Amino acid sequence: MYFPYLRGRQFELIALRELIENGLIGDKVIPIIEPIKPTSTLAKTLSIYSEKQHLHALVVNPVVGEFIPKIKEKDKNSDNVVNEIYNDLRSEYFIRAYIIQQGISKTLLKRNDLEKLMIINPKRDCMEEYLKVYDQKEPSYTLLPDDRTFLRKAPRTKIMFEDRFIKAAKNADYSKNEDEFFSEDHLYYALEGFKGFSDYSIVGSDYSETGFAPSAVAIHIVYFDENKVLRVHHFVSDSNIDTKDPAGKFGEALAKLVRWTKQNTVPRTMALNAFLECYEKGKYPGLGTVKKYSIMHHLELMNMFLEGEI
């Protein structure tokens, strides 16, 4: 089982929505969303996953963004967006996820149905907190780092949770190491006693409240090598002196991607085909869509692997 962990940014949510709408992920891929704020895009994404009868998790105590204060400002009885989000919480395909923290209320954690509960434990110091709450029964899913300190006391419901994307300080830096190892969690998680594996896709765990205009455009494409190890190739623009002409920079990076796909055997996912169409038509979809395509490609590729298609 694969549990891609994404923040609730617009293009990440749209990526998840388009994957399920086009039938590109099956039951072995269960997305986890840590919401940034209550938006119509979030509400629609959650609703579509329930309509498609597909399991999905929402972090109800996010540590980034403004989801909690913003949702408290609104009235769930009169605000359509908040009402839709609360409705999805009652869906049988909804998994309630908590990031466990020191001092978190035991009542808060224990009041939920364990069969629809996911605990995310990112810190060693919180392991004792987890054991105090779940000393006899465990939630269905517990996300833990692949760390010996955790594994000595790991629950039976453990999911390997790691950030496998090596984030560069700036996009131009990806050209220094264009092709690199990404992950082999999908090959060994079961052998190591995990129920599944989770990562931040090609986005990484770093979170920033504000975006900025990059001086370079980078496209990140994951692929399997001959041993089914997952690698990532970075396609970086060349004219990176300033932030002008992002469309031109995208074209430079895209041309490298097109040449690479002709030289390598990579499954033609829906997103990869979308990149190739951009090249054929000379189209610039915007940087948000570029990220969306890269996420979609990764998740569809992992679904293919888990379904035995590659």
Side-chain angles (χ1 to χ4, degrees):
M1 299 286 287
Y2 176 43
F3 298 80
Y5 190 103
L6 297 170
R7 267 49 184 269
R9 296 183 182 90
Q10 180 179 3
F11 286 101
E12 295 172 34
L13 293 171
I14 295 173
L16 292 176
R17 194 172 76 208
E18 292 187 5
L19 284 165
I20 194 67
E21 287 176 332
N22 289 280
L24 300 177
I25 56 173
D27 294 340
K28 295 177 182 178
V29 178
I30 301 175
I32 305 168
I33 300 169
E34 183 179 1
I36 306 302
K37 63 179 80 170
T39 64
S40 58
T41 306
L42 173 62
K44 186 173 181 180
T45 301
L46 296 174
S47 175
I48 289 175
Y49 270 78
S50 290
E51 289 173 10
K52 296 288 186 180
Q53 301 181 358
H54 193 110
L55 286 175
H56 55 287
L58 182 75
V59 178
V60 296
N61 65 332
V63 296
V64 298
E66 302 176 294
F67 181 77
I68 298 298
K70 290 291 184 183
I71 208 166
K72 286 181 177 178
E73 289 176 5
K74 301 177 183 292
D75 184 344
K76 68 179 181 180
N77 296 315
S78 59
D79 188 281
N80 290 336
V81 168
V82 175
N83 189 43
E84 287 179 32
I85 293 172
Y86 274 100
N87 282 340
D88 192 72
L89 265 63
R90 294 189 284 270
S91 166
E92 61 180 299
Y93 301 100
F94 175 85
I95 301 170
R96 187 182 298 263
Y98 284 96
I99 299 173
I100 197 166
Q101 303 168 55
Q102 287 181 297
I104 195 168
S105 169
K106 294 182 182 181
T107 304
L108 182 70
L109 295 175
K110 281 205 166 186
R111 71 185 183 188
N112 298 292
D113 183 354
L114 291 178
E115 293 182 359
K116 290 186 178 182
L117 182 63
M118 174 182 289
I119 295 298
I120 301 162
N121 187 357
K123 298 179 180 179
R124 292 183 179 91
D125 291 343
C126 292
M127 195 62 198
E128 293 302 323
E129 199 79 18
Y130 174 94
L131 294 171
K132 289 177 186 177
V133 177
Y134 303 108
D135 53 345
Q136 296 179 346
K137 293 184 178 181
E138 298 171 353
S140 294
Y141 312 97
T142 305
L143 272 63
L144 297 170
D146 185 18
D147 184 293
R148 183 175 298 176
T149 303
F150 284 90
L151 301 185
R152 288 175 183 146
K153 302 177 180 179
R156 294 182 298 275
T157 60
K158 61 183 178 180
I159 307 294
M160 184 188 299
F161 184 30
E162 291 287 346
D163 181 4
R164 296 304 186 189
F165 186 71
I166 301 174
K167 193 84 169 178
K170 55 184 185 295
N171 282 347
D173 292 342
Y174 289 112
S175 61
K176 298 175 183 177
N177 191 13
E178 292 182 343
D179 194 281
E180 58 188 337
F181 171 84
F182 185 82
S183 176
E184 54 187 12
D185 295 343
H186 55 287
L187 296 175
Y188 302 113
Y189 75 93
L191 293 175
E192 296 175 359
F194 289 92
K195 289 182 63 177
F197 60 100
S198 178
D199 59 37
Y200 293 87
S201 185
I202 54 82
V203 182
S205 61
D206 289 348
Y207 172 76
S208 175
E209 293 283 354
T210 58
F212 59 93
S215 58
V217 169
I219 303 171
H220 313 290
I221 295 294
V222 297
Y223 69 99
F224 291 112
D225 68 10
E226 64 274 11
N227 298 313
K228 294 294 191 294
V229 171
L230 203 61
R231 299 185 63 82
V232 59
H233 199 100
H234 310 289
F235 305 92
V236 185
S237 59
D238 298 310
S239 55
N240 304 327
I241 298 175
D242 52 38
T243 61
K244 296 178 181 178
D245 192 19
K249 297 177 191 293
F250 169 69
E252 294 169 354
L254 185 61
K256 295 179 181 180
L257 168 58
V258 171
R259 288 196 297 271
W260 182 81
T261 57
K262 291 178 179 178
Q263 298 166 358
N264 296 271
T265 303
V266 183
R268 293 295 183 90
T269 62
M270 176 178 156
L272 187 55
N273 282 332
F275 273 127
L276 299 180
E277 183 181 354
C278 286
Y279 181 78
E280 292 169 2
K281 296 183 177 180
K283 176 183 175 183
Y284 171 54
L287 294 180
T289 299
V290 172
K291 180 188 290 186
K292 181 191 76 169
Y293 287 160
S294 292
I295 294 170
M296 291 180 66
H297 171 76
H298 179 199
L299 270 58
E300 184 180 352
L301 198 69
M302 292 311 305
N303 184 74
M304 290 178 178
F305 175 84
L306 292 172
E307 296 292 346
E309 298 173 8
I310 54 176

